[in-house]
């Protein structure tokens, strides 16, 4: 029997970025003979990959890099694949001294785009494709399949647990986001929900509960608030059961791509097209992005406040476009069923 070739893939955070590495994991495991795939992630993001069948060994970073170094030195990896490229991942690679493959992070080009709005970024190249180019020297090729996401049967939320009005289809509205400038103002979300005459399930974490209460108190009777009431993977189950999805630039937006959900993605400070982070290979998607703003984009991560104070990238979003697109997708999905 041939000896396994051992790979360590590094991506510490965050939810969406981890999900965007899953085609590398899958292609490496399926195409490389005798691959033994190790993956390292921050402990808080364990749920994102813990059920991924293409990962042989999952390692968790709990703020102590030295503990991981001790473990990894006994593994004698053949290759390290660094899909994060931070100081911490560099220090880990330095300590292990193994052959390393990395992706093009394009930090300088992104900085120039955000600060001076001069575009040196590659056109039409998704970050999934840049991740996959990191393993091209190994002969691994893009299989042109979507990102992956796996949950356990225990995390499945039965549709029958929702109100009867939502059991024959609903629009999942992901209202959260890691930073303020990635999220629609509550008033805009309320206006969109009022235009939607279909059942809606609000998805988000505990930090989104207060905004969700404002939305549900606005008078819309077709809304179920699931924010902070489910674990990440239970929320993914609700996302998977949705007829269509509205989402900010968040991890759940990218996870929706794993199930090829029809999606309206809403972009504020960040940019789907410039940074190559639109929902990957979704066959039905609408990108809601305010065009022509001289200050856009201003960040590839999002910020705590609008640097220009006007927040036009979200206040000027077309509510009708977002609502009507989601309803159209809902109707087409329901018709297909």
């Amino acid at each position: 029997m041939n000896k396994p070739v051992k790979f360590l893939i590094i991506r510490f955070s965050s939810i969406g970025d981890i999900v965007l590495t899953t085609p590398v994991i899958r292609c490496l495991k399926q195409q490389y003979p005798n691959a033994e795939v190790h993956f390292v992630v921050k402990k808080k993001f364990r749920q994102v990959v813990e059920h991924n069948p293409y990962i042989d060994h999952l390692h968790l970073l709990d703020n102590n890099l030295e503990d991981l170094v001790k473990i990894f030195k006994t593994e004698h990896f053949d290759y390290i694949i660094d899909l994060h490229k931070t100081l911490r991942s560099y220090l880990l690679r330095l300590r292990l001294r193994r052959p390393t493959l990395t992706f093009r992070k394009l930090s300088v080009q992104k900085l120039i785009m955000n600060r001076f709005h001069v575009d040196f970024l590659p056109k039409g190249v998704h970050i999934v494709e840049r991740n996959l180019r990191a393993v091209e020297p190994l002969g691994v090729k893009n299989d042109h399949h979507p990102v992956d996401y796996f949950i356990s049967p225990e995390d499945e939320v039965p549709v029958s647990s929702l109100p009867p009005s939502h059991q024959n289809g609903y629009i999942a509205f992901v209202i959260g986001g890691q930073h303020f400038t990635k999220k629609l103002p509550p008033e805009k979300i309320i206006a969109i929900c009022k235009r939607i005459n279909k059942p809606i399930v609000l998805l988000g974490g505990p930090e989104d509960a207060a905004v969700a209460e404002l939305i549900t108190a606005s008078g819309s009777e077709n809304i179920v608030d699931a924010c902070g009431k489910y674990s990440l993977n239970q929320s993914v189950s609700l996302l998977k059961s949705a007829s269509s999805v509205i989402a900010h630039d968040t991890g759940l937006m990218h996870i929706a791509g794993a199930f090829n959900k029809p999606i309206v993605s809403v972009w504020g400070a960040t940019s789907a097209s410039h940074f190559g982070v639109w929902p990957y290979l979704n066959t039905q998607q609408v990108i809601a992005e305010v065009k022509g703003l001289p200050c856009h984009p201003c960040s590839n991560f999002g910020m705590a406040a609008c640097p220009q104070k006007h927040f036009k990238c979200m206040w000027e979003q077309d509510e009708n476009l977002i609502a009507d697109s989601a309803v159209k997708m809902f109707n087409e999905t329901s018709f297909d069923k």
Side-chain angles (χ1 to χ4, degrees), residues 29-317:
K29 186 66 175 176
Q30 291 184 337
Q31 298 177 31
Y32 212 83
N34 305 308
E36 182 180 304
V37 176
H38 295 240
F39 194 92
V40 58
V41 66
K42 284 185 179 179
K43 186 177 181 180
K44 65 185 288 189
F45 298 113
R46 174 179 190 153
Q47 288 186 74
V48 181
V49 285
E50 66 180 340
H51 300 294
N52 190 318
Y54 302 115
I55 296 174
D56 297 296
H57 300 280
L58 180 61
H59 304 274
L60 305 178
L61 173 63
D62 194 10
N63 295 322
N64 192 336
L65 195 63
E66 193 61 34
D67 289 345
L68 280 178
V69 170
K70 290 177 183 176
I71 294 170
F72 290 162
K73 280 189 172 180
T74 67
E75 293 288 352
H76 305 293
F77 294 112
D78 294 286
Y79 296 96
I80 295 173
I81 302 165
D82 186 355
L83 300 180
H84 204 145
K85 289 186 73 174
T86 59
L87 176 60
R88 183 175 278 182
S89 68
Y90 172 75
L91 291 174
L92 181 57
R93 289 157 40 196
L94 188 65
R95 296 290 303 279
L96 297 179
R97 298 185 181 279
R98 306 302 301 163
T100 299
L101 301 167
T102 64
F103 81 120
R104 290 186 68 204
K105 196 165 185 176
L106 303 175
S107 298
V108 173
Q109 293 91 329
K110 291 175 185 175
L111 179 64
I112 293 171
M113 186 69 218
N114 290 326
R115 290 277 184 89
F116 307 107
H117 302 101
V118 177
D119 192 0
F120 293 115
L121 292 158
K123 306 294 185 293
V125 180
H126 199 280
I127 190 172
V128 167
E129 294 163 358
R130 286 196 281 121
N131 285 337
L132 280 160
R133 285 174 185 173
V135 292
E136 281 184 352
L138 299 172
V140 175
K141 300 184 183 304
N142 190 347
D143 62 4
H144 301 288
H145 290 168
V147 297
D148 288 322
Y149 202 94
F150 303 91
I151 61 176
S152 69
E154 291 76 22
D155 286 322
E156 296 282 357
V157 177
V159 175
S160 59
S161 68
L162 298 174
S165 58
H166 289 60
Q167 292 180 15
N168 292 317
Y170 55 85
I171 295 171
F173 199 148
V174 182
I175 66 169
Q178 191 173 0
H179 299 285
F180 173 84
T181 57
K182 281 188 171 186
K183 297 183 287 187
L184 285 161
E187 297 91 332
K188 296 286 283 187
I189 296 176
I190 289 169
I192 292 166
C193 289
K194 285 186 174 180
R195 186 172 176 85
I196 293 173
N197 60 349
K198 303 296 180 184
I200 298 169
V201 173
L202 302 180
L203 293 179
E207 68 279 5
D208 304 308
V211 171
E213 286 182 12
L214 286 176
I215 297 166
T216 54
S218 67
S220 298
E221 297 180 356
N222 60 331
I223 297 175
V224 168
D225 172 17
C227 293
K229 297 177 173 61
Y230 296 92
S231 69
L232 170 62
N233 284 345
Q234 287 172 326
S235 295
V236 171
S237 175
L238 289 169
L239 188 72
K240 187 171 67 166
S241 298
S243 300
S244 62
V245 177
I246 303 171
H248 301 131
D249 174 16
T250 65
L252 283 178
M253 179 201 74
H254 291 297
I255 292 169
F259 308 109
N260 200 28
K261 292 282 108 177
I263 184 168
V264 182
S265 58
V266 183
W267 300 81
T270 57
S271 171
S273 55
H274 287 104
F275 300 137
V277 287
W278 59 87
Y280 184 59
L281 295 183
N282 271 56
T283 56
Q284 297 181 73
Q285 62 173 295
V286 170
I287 294 175
E289 191 171 280
V290 178
K291 302 294 185 183
L293 294 176
C295 56
H296 183 262
C298 61
S299 171
N300 47 297
F301 298 113
M303 292 178 285
C306 171
Q308 302 296 323
K309 311 300 183 187
H310 53 61
F311 203 26
K312 288 183 178 180
C313 60
M314 281 304 193
W315 279 115
E316 294 186 359
Q317 284 283 351

